[in-house]
């Protein structure tokens, strides 16, 4: 049985190299955008059963309150579903499971056992690694069953927002353990934000069937429609922690990169289940 499982994982990884990632992702986007009531209700009900999605938290009735399956996937939650930890704690930007976390070592982040990747490549900025020397990172995987919106972990100004084109490999554990530089080769959006004299970064990583990364401001609606490194609109005002940064279609991954003045909470470890709003890091005090 274990041999068959290994063979299945190997086939899954190999197929991702040869299948048309962008075409498959556009097809999934088209399917989840269908608005015919019987079609979208069938898709939503099937996905709720398949992934055991907690519909009690949804802000509308399921499935009738949503115009498409994608609108359901990118749903907001009922008020009070994700209370924020008390300041000055930084809060988890999303729901999900911690896949990796720890120190930034020689400008690299741990992807999986045996694989590291460059911070400068991830952020699309060759000069940025030095400012994060001594800092930490946390990678959070959002499964299809999770809430798909991503929020500001701290109050501050977004100083940069850009799209970096790339591939669309799956970002599950099996792929992370087999595809080198997975998060820095996939399509992604990078947010840099300043708070209390320090700057951190948050990266929304696209994935197979996740060719859509949207924000609540600006005219851009899909990262998948952009094919070059592009500076994107900034929010019109200072964001408060917990404010929405963007949302994924289906599931994906968020990488939060912290400067040395901000440290991860002791209970943030690989395998830990995170909920948006819970404490994820805190400022260093003398």
């Amino acid at each position: 049985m274990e041999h068959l499982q290994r063979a299945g994982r190997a086939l899954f990884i190999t197929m991702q190299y040869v299948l048309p990632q962008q075409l498959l992702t556009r097809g999934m986007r088209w399917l989840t955008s269908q608005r015919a009531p019987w079609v979208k209700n069938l898709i939503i009900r099937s996905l709720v059963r398949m992934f055991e999605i907690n519909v009690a938290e949804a802000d509308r009735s399921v499935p009738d309150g949503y115009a498409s399956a994608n609108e359901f996937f990118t749903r907001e939650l009922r008020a009070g579903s994700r209370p924020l930890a008390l300041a000055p704690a930084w809060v988890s930007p999303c729901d999900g499971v911690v896949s990796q976390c720890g120190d930034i070592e020689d400008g690299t982040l741990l992807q999986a056992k045996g694989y590291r990747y460059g911070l400068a490549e991830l952020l699309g900025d060759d000069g940025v690694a030095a400012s994060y020397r001594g800092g930490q990172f946390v990678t959070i995987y959002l499964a299809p069953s999770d809430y798909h919106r991503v929020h500001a972990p701290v109050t501050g100004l977004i100083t940069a927002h850009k799209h970096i084109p790339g591939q669309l490999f799956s970002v599950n554990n099996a792929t992370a353990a087999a595809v080198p530089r997975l998060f820095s080769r996939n399509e992604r959006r990078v947010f840099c934000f300043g708070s209390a004299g320090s700057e951190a970064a948050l990266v929304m990583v696209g994935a197979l069937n996740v060719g859509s990364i949207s924000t609540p401001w600006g005219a851009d609606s899909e990262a998948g429609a952009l094919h070059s490194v592009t500076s994107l609109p900034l929010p019109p005002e200072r964001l408060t922690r917990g404010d929405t940064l963007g949302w994924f279609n289906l599931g994906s991954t968020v990488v939060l990169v912290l400067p040395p003045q901000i440290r991860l909470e002791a209970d943030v470890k690989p395998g830990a289940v995170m909920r948006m709003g819970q404490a994820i890091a805190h400022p260093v005090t003398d």
Side-chain angles (χ1 to χ4, degrees), residues 116-259:
R116 300 190 72 88
Y117 62 102
L119 174 60
E121 184 181 21
L122 176 71
L123 301 182
D125 187 339
D126 291 336
V128 76
S131 62
Y132 289 99
R133 185 176 294 117
Q136 294 185 308
F137 77 97
V138 56
T139 304
I140 303 173
Y141 170 68
L142 292 77
S145 59
D146 286 319
Y147 169 58
H148 290 74
R149 292 192 171 230
V150 178
H151 298 256
V154 67
T155 296
L157 293 173
I158 302 295
T159 58
H161 171 209
K162 60 186 173 183
H163 165 260
I164 302 176
Q167 296 175 281
L168 289 173
F169 286 98
S170 170
V171 290
N172 62 16
N173 288 337
T175 310
V179 177
R181 301 171 31 255
L182 173 63
F183 303 128
S184 59
R185 68 198 295 176
N186 267 17
E187 187 170 343
R188 57 204 180 276
R189 285 198 181 201
V190 177
F191 300 87
C192 296
F193 49 93
S195 175
S198 62
E199 186 165 279
L202 184 147
V203 183
M204 295 177 66
V205 182
L208 190 66
N209 297 329
V210 192
S212 173
I213 304 174
S214 302
T215 68
W217 63 87
D220 61 298
S221 61
E222 294 190 28
L226 304 170
H227 301 287
S228 62
V229 178
T230 306
S231 293
L232 298 173
L234 300 179
E237 56 190 19
R238 181 181 177 89
L239 292 183
T240 301
R241 65 184 193 140
D243 285 351
T244 302
L245 282 177
W247 50 87
F248 290 114
N249 181 45
L250 297 180
S252 196
T253 285
V254 168
V255 182
L256 180 61
V257 184
L258 302 172

Side-chain angles (χ1 to χ4, degrees), residues 19-32:
L19 289 174
Q21 297 173 342
Q22 295 285 351
L23 181 61
L24 289 173
T25 299
R26 286 196 296 271
M28 179 60 72
R29 176 69 173 180
W30 175 85
L31 180 63
T32 59

